[in-house]
Amino acid sequence: PMQAMPVPVTGVVKKTIPIYLDYAARTEAIRSIALQAKVSGYILDQPATDGADVRQGDLLYRIDPRDYQTVLAQVRAQTERDQASLDYAKANLDRGSDLTKTGFLSKDSYQQRASAVAQGEATVIADKAAVQAAEINLGYTEIKAPFDGRLGRNQAAVGTLINVGGTALNTLVQISPIYVTFSPSEAELALIQKARAEGPVTAEVTVPGDQGPPRKGELTFLDNQVDHTTGTIIARATIANQDLSLLPGQYVN
């Protein structure tokens, strides 16, 4: 007789399978700023090159600090001079206190000395405020990265005279992590909300033409209203983007 053919057999398993919803999406930077100067002067140096990935606190631009160093030295000298005058006025007031008790100094003269001390103290306080302002302005001559990100194209070459609030020197964009924005329909909104109520909703992002594995993230935002003209709602997922391969404005699935 004909031999029986072997047949693979497996047990039936009942389990929950994930539901996938596919969307066209765009990447979006979490933070993007224009780098501008808060003091006027000549660009002295650009330590970070165009397109460089920088860390928070890295020096990006240096403005010629000599004018601001001079102002700081002047206000510090003024503070020391006024402090010396205040010290003399306090010593004079102490001597006047003893002379007033013995009657060798009139009360009016003593009050004049007390007034001189009060005026000197106010002058020193104003001087210290001027020193602090000069130190802040000197600190503005160094423009540092406020967060981790990637620089764009430089707009002010070394030697350029820049003014406060003038043309942006460059742009800094945070690309890790990065947002991916898409628009589910209102028919799918209830399904997404139900899934979020049960736990985190995973987002898998693929780039057209990229054969690599999808980048995984989490659905982190649903808008507070549905667009009545399109019947869609804005949703957003956050992707780690540790390899910095995704750029803001990029088309993805």
Side-chain angles (χ1 to χ4, degrees):
M2 183 180 295
Q3 294 184 354
M5 296 295 295
V7 178
V9 178
T10 184
V12 177
V13 179
K14 182 180 179 180
K15 65 179 181 179
T16 301
I17 62 172
I19 297 175
Y20 288 91
L21 303 175
D22 296 328
Y23 302 100
R26 287 280 183 184
T27 55
E28 178 184 342
I30 294 179
R31 287 183 288 185
S32 177
I33 62 168
L35 299 173
Q36 290 184 296
K38 292 200 68 175
V39 292
S40 301
Y42 290 96
I43 296 293
L44 193 64
D45 188 19
Q46 182 192 352
T49 59
D50 293 2
D53 293 321
V54 298
R55 307 288 293 179
Q56 181 178 358
D58 286 353
L59 182 61
L60 307 181
Y61 288 90
R62 185 183 291 109
I63 301 172
D64 190 351
R66 290 175 294 181
D67 292 342
Y68 303 97
Q69 290 171 344
T70 300
V71 172
L72 178 59
Q74 290 174 341
V75 294
R76 282 177 174 172
Q78 179 70 32
T79 301
E80 293 178 1
R81 185 179 66 179
D82 292 337
Q83 182 65 51
S85 298
L86 175 60
D87 294 341
Y88 173 77
K90 287 181 177 180
N92 203 23
L93 180 63
D94 293 338
R95 289 191 297 269
S97 178
D98 296 334
L99 294 175
T100 302
K101 293 177 182 179
T102 58
F104 288 100
L105 184 68
S106 66
K107 290 184 177 181
D108 182 67
S109 298
Y110 178 77
Q111 290 176 350
Q112 290 179 359
R113 296 186 181 188
S115 176
V117 170
Q119 294 178 29
E121 290 176 342
T123 300
V124 170
I125 292 174
D127 290 340
K128 290 180 178 179
V131 170
Q132 185 177 11
E135 290 174 343
I136 292 173
N137 287 332
L138 180 60
Y140 286 148
T141 60
E142 292 186 347
I143 301 176
K144 298 181 179 180
F147 52 82
D148 297 352
R150 180 172 293 177
L151 283 175
R153 184 167 58 91
N154 179 41
Q155 302 295 327
V158 173
T160 302
L161 176 62
I162 57 174
N163 298 312
V164 179
T167 304
L169 307 180
N170 209 322
T171 56
L172 179 64
V173 177
Q174 179 180 349
I175 58 178
S176 177
I178 197 169
Y179 288 146
V180 175
T181 304
F182 55 100
S183 300
S185 67
E186 56 184 330
E188 297 163 336
L189 178 59
L191 182 62
I192 295 175
Q193 290 176 326
K194 180 181 178 181
R196 291 189 77 191
E198 297 175 355
V201 176
T202 301
E204 295 185 354
V205 177
T206 59
V207 179
D210 186 357
Q211 303 300 323
R215 299 162 177 83
K216 292 188 177 183
E218 182 182 337
L219 180 67
T220 54
F221 170 77
L222 282 174
D223 206 354
N224 58 4
Q225 60 182 350
V226 175
D227 189 340
H228 68 277
T229 59
T230 61
T232 59
I233 186 171
I234 296 176
R236 190 169 65 201
T238 303
I239 309 299
N241 196 29
Q242 295 177 346
D243 60 355
L244 308 180
S245 58
L246 294 178
L247 298 178
Q250 193 171 354
Y251 170 79
V252 296
N253 295 317

